[in-house]
Amino acid sequence: MSADRSDTDRSDTVLVVDFGAQYAQLIARRVREARVYSEVVPHTMPVEQMLARRPAAIILSGGPASVYADDAPAVDPAMFTAGVPAFGICYGFQAMSLALGGTVARTGSAEFGRTTLEVLGADATLFHGLPREQAVWMSHNDAVAEAPPGFAVVARTVATPVAAFEDPTRRLAGVQFHPEVLHTEHGQAVLEHFLYEIAGLAPTWTMTNIIDEQVAAVRAQVGDKRVICGLSGGVDSAVAAALVHKAVGDQLTCVFVDHGLLRKGEAEQVERDFVAATGVRLKVVDAAKRFLDALAGITDPEQKRKVIGREFIRVFEEAAREVVVEAGTRGESVDFLVQGTLYPDVVESGGGTGAANIKSHHNVGGLPEDLQFSLVEPLRTLFKDEVRRVGLELGLPDAIVWRQPFPGPGLGIRVIGEVTQERLDVLREADAIAREELSAAGLDREVWQCPVVLLADVRSVGVQGDGRTYGHPLVLRPVSSQDAMTADWTRVPYEVLARISTRITNEVREINRVTLDVTSKPPGTIEWE
């Protein structure tokens, strides 16, 4: 039995049909924030398959196409005659209108960005209790000119005569704007009015539900077999391991590979805090020298990544074999591997059904296929913020739950140039100072992550006391993001930057210059290598 719930028939699931929108996942997140479970499905899924899932409701996302384009995705009218509540957004609103007999026109008057919406009538279910005029976020060229038969037009803008319609009797509604984006002032309320009042759903999906469901699913999948987990110290693997441990206890062994490329105190944190919070059986492998030897003389970023990935695979494989041998002496077998796969990974890879064996999709660096562990992925239906809430519910320390995302190759790709023990030590101290000052300023939640980059092959002239110095420049790269697909540099207060710079140049003698990277993503990536 798989732990993946997207294969199962859940009568409490809202399906978000993705028409190629950049916001499809965001719609699913907003539905979940309303404490209703949701999943994203592609518009190419036949309607009969969607209905076979017995969804509680269906939401049609926006999309980049015009409904009049030759290859524009259409909506099967059967979707709206099966008695399932449905809600159209932007393109989905227009496609829904056409399928039900409405009219979509090329008005020649496009709306993009902030727009004033006028609510028509005090009895509109979508807008009850909300201001008659409100700001919404538009992004469209075509517009619904005439609502389908049986629908009441409940909102308009200057350029769009039908900006929202509803038929509560048939539990159908739609809006031209994007209620899921923060720029729409009352968007969450509009979405919740559809979910609660038109679709008749109850807000019952909670972190406790998630944990109970996944614990039961893991127990059913694993049975009395043993499980192994590659623990990185990051929040995803930590929460996945804690969930599985809650389900099967000592059947789980976590393997932590210390490759010597971690930040200051992180290896000790995993060994001390995680074990203390969970009681998990932990196998620690000190492989720092092995990784440094393998990285000697290498400066190319891609080559460094490949070397680190290769060595990680080998070290983990050796550790896994030791766990298997130890289990075998007790008459047990190790059949399962825990992965911290998240829902965005599943959606972006085109997936939705779990793979049985390790092949190409994994979080531990590319395990060999001949290990043939079956995957246990208890987080594959969750977004990052939901994973953090599960971690807190499971009692994991804040330092683990709110840990900034950290690349698998670690500091190996934050040392620009050859990776040596001396350079790692310098970077570790500087990075620790930056993290300490950001935390002291209360910026841990505002800054998605702050790579600290050592330009090891560059020297800059400086002066300290009465002497000339010739030290390394350091780059601070604070960024804000939700999912790392896009990011902007965080406007850290000048006084915080000044404290970081002063402390680093005073306390880390090899660094005499601190610089700030103010590049967004795109065009720049978050990491330098």
Side-chain angles (χ1 to χ4, degrees), residues 339 355-362 366-369 372-373 375:
Q339 275 200 159
N357 295 317
I358 300 169
K359 294 192 184 297
S360 59
H361 182 61
H362 47 73
L367 289 171
E369 291 183 25
Q372 293 297 300
F373 292 121
L375 296 183

Side-chain angles (χ1 to χ4, degrees), residues 15-28 39-47 50 58-67 69 71-77 79-80 86-99 139 173 175 178 180 347:
L15 296 183
V16 177
V17 183
D18 183 5
F19 286 98
Q22 59 178 320
Y23 297 133
Q25 288 190 42
L26 183 55
I27 297 171
E39 290 185 1
V40 179
V41 297
H43 69 83
T44 52
M45 175 182 283
V47 168
M50 295 184 197
I58 294 175
I59 296 179
L60 310 178
S61 84
S66 164
V67 291
D71 57 350
V75 176
D76 188 337
M79 180 181 293
F80 309 112
F87 185 61
I89 295 175
C90 196
Y91 180 90
F93 174 65
Q94 296 174 10
M96 179 181 187
S97 183
L98 281 181
S139 180
V175 295
H178 287 277
E180 71 274 20
V347 174

Side-chain angles (χ1 to χ4, degrees), residues 377-432:
E377 297 177 302
L379 309 180
R380 65 181 282 113
T381 62
L382 304 182
F383 290 98
K384 190 79 165 188
D385 56 329
E386 294 167 338
V387 170
R388 294 190 196 279
R389 293 204 297 274
V390 169
L392 293 173
E393 187 79 13
L394 289 170
L396 292 181
D398 282 1
I400 291 177
V401 172
W402 294 105
R403 181 179 185 263
Q404 292 182 355
F406 191 59
L411 298 181
I413 58 168
R414 293 183 179 175
V415 173
I416 309 302
E418 182 183 5
V419 180
T420 67
Q421 187 65 59
E422 180 186 4
R423 290 173 172 183
L424 286 171
D425 291 342
V426 168
L427 179 54
R428 238 187 295 270
E429 290 302 317
D431 175 87

Side-chain angles (χ1 to χ4, degrees), residues 5-50:
R5 298 189 297 183
S6 60
D7 291 341
T8 61
D9 294 332
R10 289 180 57 115
S11 58
D12 61 347
T13 300
V14 172
L15 296 183
V16 177
V17 183
D18 183 5
F19 286 98
Q22 59 178 320
Y23 297 133
Q25 288 190 42
L26 183 55
I27 297 171
R29 289 172 64 96
R30 296 293 182 244
V31 174
R32 293 179 180 202
E33 287 171 9
R35 295 172 58 196
V36 176
Y37 182 68
S38 63
E39 290 185 1
V40 179
V41 297
H43 69 83
T44 52
M45 175 182 283
V47 168
E48 57 267 24
Q49 288 187 23
M50 295 184 197

Side-chain angles (χ1 to χ4, degrees), residues 289-299 303-304 307 310 417-421:
K289 184 177 185 306
R290 176 171 179 165
F291 278 81
L292 270 177
D293 289 345
L295 287 167
I298 297 174
T299 60
Q303 186 63 22
K304 283 198 283 188
V307 167
R310 181 195 69 211
E418 182 183 5
V419 180
T420 67
Q421 187 65 59

Side-chain angles (χ1 to χ4, degrees), residues 414-419 423 453-459 472-473:
R414 293 183 179 175
V415 173
I416 309 302
E418 182 183 5
V419 180
R423 290 173 172 183
V453 182
L454 180 68
L455 303 184
D457 285 346
V458 177
R459 295 278 185 167
H472 296 292

Side-chain angles (χ1 to χ4, degrees), residues 183-405:
H183 303 291
T184 296
E185 286 179 329
H186 302 283
Q188 186 68 14
V190 171
L191 188 58
E192 290 178 1
H193 287 169
F194 166 74
L195 294 170
Y196 303 155
E197 299 177 35
I198 294 179
L201 305 182
T204 58
W205 194 65
T206 66
M207 292 302 107
T208 302
N209 296 149
I210 295 169
I211 292 170
D212 291 345
E213 289 174 4
Q214 287 306 316
V215 164
V218 170
R219 285 174 179 163
Q221 181 185 10
V222 171
D224 60 356
K225 304 297 184 183
R226 294 200 61 81
V227 191
I228 191 170
C229 175
L231 196 64
S232 68
V235 62
D236 300 341
S237 66
V239 174
L243 250 180
V244 173
H245 185 260
K246 183 177 177 66
V248 299
D250 284 345
Q251 291 170 238
L252 170 69
T253 299
C254 288
V255 175
F256 174 63
V257 176
D258 183 357
H259 50 32
L261 305 172
L262 295 171
R263 295 183 294 190
K264 187 175 182 179
E266 288 185 321
E268 294 80 4
Q269 182 187 70
V270 171
E271 293 188 55
R272 180 189 65 246
D273 296 347
F274 183 75
V275 173
T278 63
V280 74
R281 181 182 299 180
L282 180 65
K283 183 180 184 66
V284 179
V285 182
D286 183 355
K289 184 177 185 306
R290 176 171 179 165
F291 278 81
L292 270 177
D293 289 345
L295 287 167
I298 297 174
T299 60
D300 178 73
E302 189 59 27
Q303 186 63 22
K304 283 198 283 188
R305 286 180 176 271
K306 288 180 179 178
V307 167
I308 294 169
R310 181 195 69 211
E311 292 303 315
F312 190 94
I313 293 167
R314 291 176 177 172
V315 173
F316 187 88
E317 180 182 14
E318 292 168 8
R321 285 174 177 163
E322 290 176 10
V323 173
V324 170
V325 169
E326 292 166 4
T329 61
R330 299 188 297 268
E332 302 166 329
S333 61
V334 182
D335 295 345
F336 296 95
L337 172 75
V338 178
Q339 275 200 159
T341 308
L342 304 190
Y343 193 50
D345 301 328
V346 177
V347 174
E348 289 166 11
S349 65
T353 58
N357 295 317
I358 300 169
K359 294 192 184 297
S360 59
H361 182 61
H362 47 73
N363 291 339
V364 292
L367 289 171
E369 291 183 25
D370 59 6
L371 284 178
Q372 293 297 300
F373 292 121
S374 294
L375 296 183
V376 178
E377 297 177 302
L379 309 180
R380 65 181 282 113
T381 62
L382 304 182
F383 290 98
K384 190 79 165 188
D385 56 329
E386 294 167 338
V387 170
R388 294 190 196 279
R389 293 204 297 274
V390 169
L392 293 173
E393 187 79 13
L394 289 170
L396 292 181
D398 282 1
I400 291 177
V401 172
W402 294 105
R403 181 179 185 263
Q404 292 182 355

